[in-house]
Every structure is written in structure tokens, then in C-alpha cells.
Amino acid sequence: MDGYPKVIQGGMGVAISGWRLAQTVSRLGHLGVVAGTALDQVLARRLEDGDPGGHCRRAFDAFPFPGIAERVWSRYYIPGGKAPDSPYIRLPFHGLALPRPLAEDCLLGNFVEVFLAREGHANPVGINYLEKIQTPHLVSIYGAMLAGVGYILMGAGIPLKIPGVLDAYVNHEPATYPLYVSGAVDGDDTTMHFRPRDFMECELPPLERPRFLPIIASNVLAATLLKKANGRVDGFIIEGPTAGGHNAPPRGRPTFNDQGEPVYGERDRVNLETMRALGVPFWLAGGFGGPDVLRQALEEGAAGVQVGTAFAYCEESGMRDDYKQAVLRLVAEGQAQVRTDPVASPSGFPFKVVQLDGTASDASVYDARPRVCDLGYLREAYRTPDGRVDFRCPSEPLSVYVSKGGREEDAVGRKCICNALVATAGAPQVRSKGRLIEAGIITAGDDLVGIGRFMRHGSTRYTAADVIDVIMQGALPEDSAPV
Ligand SMILES: Cc1cc2nc3c(=O)[nH]c(=O)nc-3n(C[C@H](O)[C@H](O)[C@H](O)COP(=O)(O)O)c2cc1C
């Protein structure tokens, strides 16, 4: 498959596949993908930490609309960084319509991440979004396209209406996106709108239309997207249930093993013969970070592989170092454990959690946390009895959730993975004058136990280049051609 990457470094939120990792992978001639989740928050917190290294400043200077850049900068930047016991500024919640300052934060957050990942080389860079987190889509994608993103990858949902958004933005035309609202009835207007010209401070030439790769776990979803999407779908990532992050739920009546993990079976396997017949490129994901697997994937007709777990623990990943080192130690001692938690994520999708003391996987740590919902990315939109659109999260205070029509049983075992994932990226919210610091939650695929293969010469650390070297072992010379 000419012109397509053989190795995609999968998007890993929040900020685990930050610009540093994606830039490294793309420089090496493969496809680096930044995580697109919560980038408004990530940017605000980097600025509140004093923009170490001045990287955000460089990206702000390159942003085409200086008025917006100036406002966002002055909202958050703290020279030298905030005091350790001060909280990060709370951003407004996303909703059907975004308040103007939040839209500007989100626009810049996406621009900065892609701009920095593209800096200093000419290879493409991708961005990954979760379809389920719909409210930031329209502004996020425009921000990423302003920075010249080459690929948009999207999992956790059925993104039928994304291609139309990409096509509209090429000429800075307005775009819309349907918000899924639980309980909505005919006649409700649940459409989100974004007009680039409301934000443009000058005329710009047309933008490049990025390639669009939905992440799927079933043949039916692939066929549906090709048939019903409102524009071109350029290929698919086929992600199996061993992959890190969120997984598609098993098909049929759910069954669980004695650890309470969902059990996957034959029906959850994607038929590759059917995929080949669709005639668009596809990449295999979920346990493809080892030697020889790239060759096998190519022989199966794949364009290549998408790998996450192996990159999540390398030097360039955005995971905070104490967590990364603790997990690498567990791996070296043969003690690493990953559990597929069917309920932790408010998204409703099974979520893989690395078991590590001191993180939210540890019941004593999580149970001591007051239930607070102040980031709200995974909130579900619902129709109120008086016909408005409101939002609720099964991890918010129980009485609030139930008062919004949420069912008590749906809140059992849920965790605030919004706060926990931002904490894992090294920017935990601080509450009660520093007495409460949000603990992180760490995700990885089943492949975690094997990442010792990247550590060379007795080292306990490894780089993204070490991962690429191992994946390329066993590949034929022509397989290593750059993107
Ligand atoms: C730490 C981590 C975070 C992830 N976050 C996301 C995400 O935000 N969006 C997404 O589509 N996939 C996410 N994934 C899945 C990866 O993009 C990739 O498809 C998967 O890791 C491939 O399987 P592997 O983990 O066995 O290599 C994540 C994976 C990991 C390990």
C-alpha cells in the first residue's frame, strides 16, 4: 500500500501520546499520532505550570489568529508555574454550544499539539479522538486542521458524520455534528454548530483534507461506515480486545470470568477476508508491538499495524515518570497485571486498568476520593423533562446523578477517569489547599507483560526507536520504506 504508514503509533489519551512521542515516531518515518482528548485542559495546565521549555509559546507564535492566542495565553500562563498546593483553574464544561473562551482554549489546544508534533520534519502526523466525547469535536478538528494534521483517527463510536466536517473545513466552511442525546424525541434540535469564520482574524488559503481512519472492532461497523458516512473514509484500524485503553464490549449477552472481566469469543473476531473485500486499507491493533507481527499482518492483507502499549511506557511518552518506572519495575519482576474493568469508565466501554498501588486501581485510594465531577468530558447528554439538553456522569455525586434521571445501579464501580487520566499525564488537580491530590489511573493492553523485550543491556528504560526496531525485525526491506 503505497503512501500509507506501516506502523501507526496509536493515539493514547490523555496526553500519553503527546506531541513529543508523536514527533519522534513521525521523524522515524512512521505515523505518530497525538491524543486529541481534553487538549483544552492539557494546554491550560501546561501554561499554569509555566510552559516549561517554552514549547507552547512557539506554537502560540505560529497560530494564525494572534488575538485568540493572546487571550488564551493571558487566561492561563503563570510565569514560573503555579504553587504546588494551588488548584488548576477550572474550565467551563463543554455542552451543546461552547462558551467562546472554551472554544478558543480548545482550538489552541488542538493546534499546539499538532503543530509541535509536526515541528522540524516533513512527515505526516495524526490525531486521535474518541467519538463518544462529542461536544469538543467541531472546534477540535478545525484546530488540528489549522496545524496541518495528516490523519484523523477515531474510536469509541460510529463516526458517520466526521468526513463531512473535514470536507467543510478545507474551505473554512461551517460544519455541524449531531449530538447523541439520551431520550431525545423527534423535533428536538441536538445539532452542534461551528463556523470557522467566527474565529478567523484573516483570510487563509484552503486547508489539506486529512485522511480519516475510524477504529472498529466489527465487520458490520466497517461496512456501515463505508456505506453511510457522509464523505470519504480512507481506511480502518481494526482493534482487538487485548488492546490498551477502552475496548469495544463483547457481542451478545455479556459473560464474565472469575476476575469479573468480560469474556470475548469467536463473534468478536473481525473477519479479514471480508475486510480485504472492502478494498480500503486496514491496520491491525491489539498485541502487534512485537517482532515478526508486522510481516504477518502484511501477509494478511493489512497495510500495517497500530501499536499503543509498547509506546506508552517509552521515554518519550507523556506518562508521568514515577508511574512509568513503577510499572516497568513490575514488568521486570514478572508482577505486572492488567484488568479489563467492565464498569470503571463512565463511557460504558470496558477499560483496561494496570493494577498499581497508590493509583485509582487501588480501592483504598479511590474510595477515599470525594465524588467530584469537574472536567466532564465523559458526561452523557440527556433530555430533561422540560425538553432541554443537560449532561450527567455516573461518577458524579450519586444524588446529583440520580436527580438527573441516572440509575443508581449504573453508578456502581464507576471512576472519574477524566481526573485520573489527567493526573497520569502529570497534572493532577489539587484540592483542599493541597491536602487532596487526584490519583492517576494507568491503562495498558495485555501486551504490557512483554514490554521487557525493549529494554536493552540491562536498562530499565527504552525509547520509541527501540520499539520501532523490534517491530521492524522480520520485516522485509521494502516494508521499512518511510511514510
Ligand atoms: C495508555 C493508552 C491509552 C490509550 N488511549 C486511547 C485513546 O485515547 N483513544 C484511542 O482510540 N485508543 C487509545 N488507546 C489504544 C491505542 O491507540 C491502540 O489502538 C492500542 O493500544 C493498540 O493495542 P496494544 O495496546 O496492544 O498495542 C490507548 C492505549 C493505551 C496503551
Side-chain angles (χ1 to χ4, degrees):
M1 301 263 181
D2 286 341
Y4 286 104
K6 299 285 188 309
V7 179
I8 301 178
Q9 162 260 300
M12 296 181 280
V14 171
I16 300 300
S17 62
W19 62 267
R20 254 190 207 89
L21 175 58
Q23 191 201 74
T24 307
V25 172
S26 284
R27 272 179 192 270
L28 289 167
H30 303 275
L31 183 65
V33 177
V34 294
T37 309
L39 284 176
D40 43 5
Q41 201 72 232
V42 168
L43 175 64
R45 293 190 183 192
R46 281 188 193 144
L47 297 183
E48 289 172 79
D49 285 337
D51 187 24
H55 305 295
C56 296
R57 184 67 255 175
R58 283 201 310 286
F60 270 61
D61 289 342
F63 189 66
F65 313 137
I68 295 179
E70 185 46 44
R71 283 193 292 277
V72 176
W73 188 265
S74 55
R75 261 199 291 280
Y76 302 107
Y77 178 63
I78 301 176
K82 72 171 186 69
D85 57 353
S86 312
Y88 287 106
I89 294 169
R90 183 177 171 174
L91 272 56
F93 282 132
H94 285 260
L96 192 56
L98 302 196
R100 172 86 191 200
L102 184 63
E104 293 182 351
D105 297 346
C106 202
L107 196 61
L108 247 313
N110 281 266
F111 177 88
V112 166
E113 207 66 10
V114 174
F115 172 87
L116 292 173
R118 293 192 65 214
E119 211 180 15
H121 64 94
N123 290 332
V125 158
I127 193 163
N128 170 285
Y129 300 108
L130 298 178
E131 202 281 331
K132 184 104 184 173
I133 303 181
Q134 297 183 321
T135 44
H137 279 344
L138 288 173
V139 61
S140 298
I141 291 172
Y142 186 63
M145 283 178 66
L146 280 177
V149 75
Y151 286 78
I152 296 208
L153 300 91
M154 195 176 275
I158 308 176
L160 289 171
K161 306 287 185 200
I162 292 290
V165 175
L166 308 183
D167 293 336
Y169 285 167
V170 166
N171 289 310
H172 310 278
E173 295 298 333
T176 58
Y177 200 81
L179 178 68
Y180 172 75
V181 178
S182 171
V185 297
D186 277 355
D188 284 350
D189 185 5
T190 59
T191 307
M192 299 185 290
H193 299 263
F194 183 78
R195 288 161 38 103
R197 283 180 197 284
D198 290 345
F199 291 80
M200 291 169 70
E201 295 168 11
C202 57
E203 276 308 307
L204 291 179
L207 301 172
E208 290 280 325
R209 196 261 197 205
R211 285 172 169 167
F212 179 53
L213 307 181
I215 300 165
I216 54 121
S218 84
N219 292 103
V220 174
L221 182 51
T224 306
L225 279 158
L226 281 181
K227 211 155 113 195
K228 299 201 172 148
N230 64 350
R232 201 178 74 232
V233 172
D234 297 276
F236 295 103
I237 312 289
I238 305 174
E239 201 185 65
T242 63
H246 287 97
N247 301 137
R251 254 151 287 275
R253 246 171 71 95
T255 52
F256 300 91
N257 65 17
D258 51 11
Q259 310 292 314
E261 300 173 298
V263 175
Y264 291 83
E266 247 340 276
R267 289 176 66 194
D268 300 301
R269 229 175 242 290
V270 173
N271 181 316
L272 295 187
E273 197 177 326
T274 313
M275 285 304 297
R276 288 192 290 272
L278 294 177
V280 295
F282 60 88
W283 288 258
L284 303 183
F288 287 87
D292 300 324
V293 282
L294 173 60
R295 178 107 294 267
Q296 285 162 24
L298 296 175
E299 279 165 11
E300 303 248 45
V305 295
Q306 170 166 291
V307 177
T309 298
F311 287 112
Y313 297 86
C314 76
E315 283 293 283
E316 296 89 344
S317 101
M319 188 181 298
R320 58 195 252 193
D321 206 51
D322 55 342
Y323 283 0
K324 203 189 285 178
Q325 294 313 316
V327 174
L328 288 170
R329 267 197 305 280
L330 287 179
V331 171
E333 292 161 3
Q335 301 291 324
Q337 276 183 38
V338 179
R339 175 164 187 267
T340 307
D341 192 324
V343 293
S345 172
S347 70
F349 289 100
F351 186 62
K352 287 234 170 19
V353 180
V354 179
Q355 305 300 298
L356 182 70
D357 292 347
T359 66
S361 68
D362 180 341
S364 65
V365 170
Y366 193 75
D367 294 347
R369 175 190 187 270
R371 282 179 92 106
V372 181
C373 174
D374 55 2
L375 297 182
Y377 293 97
L378 286 169
R379 295 182 318 155
E380 172 196 46
Y382 72 98
R383 183 183 202 270
T384 64
D386 58 356
R388 287 177 303 110
V389 173
D390 201 356
F391 292 82
R392 66 188 169 209
C393 177
S395 300
E396 71 187 328
L398 195 57
S399 56
V400 179
Y401 181 60
V402 171
S403 74
K404 294 173 177 174
R407 295 186 318 165
E408 203 167 325
E409 56 269 34
D410 287 343
V412 176
R414 301 286 182 200
K415 295 191 166 157
C416 175
I417 70 167
C418 292
N419 266 292
L421 287 173
V422 177
T424 301
Q429 184 56 293
V430 175
R431 307 182 193 282
S432 307
K433 299 202 170 77
R435 287 192 300 279
L436 277 174
I437 299 177
E438 287 283 355
I441 196 162
I442 309 175
T443 180
D446 295 352
D447 200 23
L448 180 71
V449 294
I451 60 173
R453 62 180 170 265
F454 306 117
M455 302 175 208
R456 293 187 193 174
H457 317 300
S459 168
T460 54
R461 294 173 178 262
Y462 62 91
T463 64
D466 293 330
V467 175
I468 299 280
D469 281 354
V470 169
I471 296 173
M472 297 316 286
Q473 275 170 34
L476 296 179
E478 65 266 27
D479 295 338
S480 6
V483 183

